[in-house]
Amino acid sequence: MQISTLLIVESPTIAKTIDGFNLPGLEVVPTAGYSWKPRADFVKGTLKGHAGPEMLPVRKRIRTAATHASRVYLATDTDPSGEFIAMCLARELKNKRLFRCYLNLMSPRGVTESMGMALPYQAGATQALLNRLYLNEKLTAGLPRFFYPATESTSARKSTIPLSVLLGKLALCTYFFTERSYHEFNCDGRRFTSIKPVLASSAREIVINKTEFTRKIYDLNRPWNSAEFICRYKPGETDKNTVAGKESHAGRKNGYHSFTGSHFNIVQGILNRLFTTVPDDIGTGLISYPRTHSSGFYRATWQNEYERFIRRYPAEEFLPVPLWSITPDVAPHEGIRPLDMNLLPADIRPLLGKDLYDAYTFIHNASATVFRKPASAERFLYKDEFENVYVNIPSQFAGNVEYLHDHSLLLQHNTLKLTPNMSSIDLIDYLTRYALMPASAAGKTLDILIRDGWITLSDDQVSPGDQLRNSVFLISKAGEIGHILETVAGLVSTSEHPSQLDDLIHRMITIINEPTHG
């Protein structure tokens, strides 16, 4: 049998979905993750794929399919693990001409267009994976027992603690206890925004005083990316934007958004399943790709748009135009949203299971609020001792749209104490940067950090857990640890040999293990 095209992906679920499109002459084969296990030689600085017997049927199917294909596309993920799998495939299929493509839209047209933009395969970022493995091995051997759950033996911890968790625990120290620039602050369940960035630490409060002036604020809701959806969605709970949801929401006490173990992994699984679902009656995917790094307004982009609207449209009334349709194409603005806003949740209710229907409803309702809106109210202005100006914006707190038309929440107190707003979205962005955490590992990493007591999450706000609060010996070293983490994050992707990380690894282990005085 001669087929014209072979598409190799990682996930069996995605392979099954694309198979259902019945694209002419296309066969889709999954690698089911690591069909080859990474085997590192840290002395030589090389990384090879070990072909274990347990994945032999998968590799055999790939070879057989490639024999009958005139063109082979590698569509593994873009992270170091995905590049490693692509490298192993290239070595396995060395007699074939290979092309690299990335799937961004789960529909027949999206797959066809992605393959149309493919380029000849070139070896990818496998060195970064080698450096990660080396860093994990060295840190695991050198970090004190404090970083591991009490139930884990020394031998078990070496094989079960991911690098993103080890570095994440160190990054949390710098996240909470070093001064950074903030725009948003909390006070008694309300959010304040500063006109200019304020240098602050989450370990201290900022005292502000009301002025005699007010400012008119526009309610512009930023589209969600996948991380924000995962943080805000609770499976099994009715969407609070619906009538039933408002009734159940009204009876809840503070803390209804508290997070339990495995929350992130469960919701990430629902999101990926929803993305790969293509109902026969519709013939296309339902939502935009949830794992791309550009899946959402970058904060800088959003701030620019916010200021541009206020300057350009000072009038009271705005047309309800979706922001993604008027933002310049050069700005990253692809938010997680339904591919067709006219496809209402009620239209697809018979086509989806309850968990996917609830998730789609949640995303659709959130996307429907991403419009330019009229000024909702005039807000009091506050100032701190450094003349920084703050304004209360209750409509944006925790993404709660019930506040949009409730102007009675204006604070009447003359003096308030603010704390920097440590949102779960900020935490994910921070850990992704400094804990070398790929998008696919975000859910599992956060679940472990919550389980081990390093953080708590409630009402979309993140706080130090008991384990982190007890790490007094780390607080005084936060600045130095942060500098090392930043340097390590850069070197992991650029070092040509893992031994180039030795000095930094030794320095980090020494700083963490040395006694703290005073």
Side-chain angles (χ1 to χ4, degrees):
M1 178 187 68
Q2 180 72 22
I3 61 173
S4 59
T5 305
L6 171 64
L7 179 66
I8 303 177
V9 299
E10 286 188 44
S11 165
T13 303
I14 289 182
K16 184 177 180 180
T17 301
I18 298 175
D19 252 343
F21 296 154
N22 295 318
L23 296 175
L26 178 67
E27 182 175 1
V28 189
V29 178
T31 67
Y34 279 128
S35 292
W36 296 263
K37 297 292 184 182
R39 180 162 290 182
D41 186 330
F42 296 131
V43 176
K44 295 181 180 179
T46 58
L47 183 66
K48 297 181 179 180
H50 172 66
E54 66 279 1
M55 298 297 285
L56 178 60
V58 175
R59 295 193 299 273
K60 184 176 180 180
R61 184 186 173 191
I62 291 173
R63 287 195 300 268
T64 302
T67 302
H68 301 294
S70 60
R71 201 174 180 91
V72 179
Y73 292 85
L74 309 181
T76 55
D77 290 345
T78 59
D79 56 23
S81 297
E83 295 293 352
F84 168 76
I85 296 172
M87 179 198 75
C88 292
L89 287 167
R91 292 177 178 176
E92 184 77 15
L93 308 175
K94 56 186 176 183
N95 295 324
K96 285 285 182 179
R97 190 184 181 198
L98 306 178
F99 294 84
R100 192 75 166 97
C101 68
Y102 305 99
L103 303 176
N104 293 317
L105 182 61
M106 194 54 58
S107 68
R109 179 179 176 181
V111 173
T112 302
E113 289 181 350
S114 295
M115 293 169 61
M117 293 186 291
L119 297 173
Y121 172 77
Q122 295 180 342
T126 54
Q127 184 65 40
L129 179 59
L130 176 66
N131 293 337
R132 283 174 56 87
L133 295 172
Y134 183 77
L135 182 61
N136 198 13
E137 180 176 287
K138 296 296 183 181
L139 285 180
T140 302
L143 291 179
R145 188 174 182 81
F146 175 81
F147 285 90
Y148 305 95
T151 55
E152 298 229 354
S153 64
T154 303
S155 59
R157 72 172 73 154
K158 291 187 177 182
S159 60
T160 59
I161 304 296
L163 176 63
S164 58
V165 174
L166 288 178
L167 294 182
K169 291 176 178 180
L170 293 172
L172 288 175
C173 175
T174 65
Y175 182 77
F176 283 104
F177 300 114
T178 57
E179 286 193 337
R180 294 189 287 125
S181 292
Y182 294 91
H183 265 293
E184 296 179 335
F185 301 82
N186 289 333
C187 177
D188 297 331
R190 293 177 174 86
R191 177 168 295 180
F192 282 74
T193 298
S194 62
I195 305 304
K196 295 180 179 179
V198 176
L199 194 64
S201 164
S202 62
R204 72 166 188 147
E205 293 179 327
I206 297 174
V207 178
I208 61 173
N209 294 288
K210 186 187 294 184
T211 71
E212 60 184 79
F213 305 104
T214 60
R215 186 181 185 189
K216 192 163 289 187
I217 298 300
Y218 294 87
D219 292 314
L220 301 178
N221 295 311
R222 186 167 63 90
W224 293 352
N225 58 26
S226 57
E228 288 170 298
F229 171 82
I230 291 171
C231 287
R232 291 175 177 175
Y233 181 63
K234 296 201 75 177
E237 285 196 358
T238 309
D239 181 6
K240 63 187 179 185
N241 295 340
T242 64
V243 174
K246 289 180 179 179
E247 292 175 353
S248 62
H249 176 66
R252 296 187 190 129
K253 298 179 180 180
N254 286 337
Y256 73 96
H257 260 304
S258 58
F259 289 75
T260 57
S262 299
H263 165 84
F264 291 91
N265 248 3
I266 292 171
V267 179
Q268 197 168 42
I270 292 174
L271 190 60
N272 286 331
R273 284 172 51 217
L274 182 59
F275 167 66
T276 56
T277 295
V278 182
D280 292 338
D281 292 354
I282 298 173
T284 186
L286 298 175
I287 62 171
S288 57
Y289 190 50
R291 281 179 56 185
T292 174
H293 288 294
S294 63
S295 61
F297 272 93
Y298 290 165
R299 290 190 178 274
T301 302
W302 180 252
Q303 189 64 30
N304 289 338
E305 292 304 295
Y306 184 95
E307 294 171 356
R308 184 170 71 89
F309 290 147
I310 291 177
R311 287 196 307 267
R312 185 177 298 181
Y313 306 104
E316 280 290 300
E317 295 298 328
F318 289 157
L319 294 175
V321 180
L323 285 176
W324 56 71
S325 69
I326 54 178
T327 304
D329 291 336
V330 295
H333 61 274
E334 177 66 20
I336 180 170
R337 58 184 175 85
L339 297 179
D340 181 2
M341 284 297 295
N342 293 319
L343 191 62
L344 302 178
D347 298 333
I348 60 170
R349 180 66 186 92
L351 309 177
L352 300 178
K354 184 179 185 306
D355 56 348
L356 298 188
Y357 166 74
D358 288 345
Y360 182 82
T361 301
F362 202 68
I363 292 172
H364 192 283
N365 289 349
S367 298
T369 68
V370 184
F371 298 112
R372 293 184 289 173
K373 296 180 178 296
S376 60
E378 288 190 350
R379 307 295 187 192
F380 289 110
L381 295 183
Y382 292 77
K383 285 186 178 181
D384 63 18
E385 59 181 313
F386 302 105
E387 296 299 307
N388 293 308
V389 179
Y390 305 79
V391 65
N392 174 222
I393 310 181
S395 64
Q396 294 195 352
F397 179 70
N400 192 343
V401 297
E402 292 176 28
Y403 287 139
L404 281 175
H405 305 295
D406 188 350
H407 307 326
S408 64
L409 294 173
L410 291 173
L411 298 180
Q412 302 301 321
H413 304 291
N414 291 323
T415 300
L416 297 170
K417 292 182 179 180
L418 307 183
T419 56
N421 179 46
M422 315 296 287
S423 73
S424 50
I425 311 307
D426 292 335
L427 174 65
I428 291 177
D429 290 343
Y430 191 83
L431 291 182
T432 302
R433 265 198 327 271
Y434 296 118
L436 307 177
M437 185 174 67
S440 57
K444 184 176 181 181
T445 299
L446 289 171
D447 283 337
I448 294 174
L449 293 174
I450 294 172
R451 182 200 68 190
D452 292 353
W454 284 78
I455 57 173
T456 61
L457 287 174
S458 182
D459 289 339
D460 197 32
Q461 300 300 297
V462 58
S463 304
D466 292 339
Q467 189 77 352
L468 186 59
R469 293 183 187 279
N470 293 332
S471 60
V472 180
F473 73 99
L474 285 177
I475 295 176
S476 62
K477 307 170 182 179
E480 211 167 353
I481 292 173
H483 176 70
I484 295 176
L485 284 175
E486 188 173 350
T487 308
V488 165
L491 284 179
V492 162
S493 59
T494 59
S495 295
E496 297 179 355
H497 194 283
S499 61
Q500 294 176 355
L501 298 169
D502 281 343
D503 289 344
L504 279 174
I505 295 172
H506 175 73
R507 183 179 162 201
M508 181 182 291
I509 292 174
T510 301
I511 290 172
I512 293 171
N513 283 291
E514 67 185 6
T516 302
H517 303 286

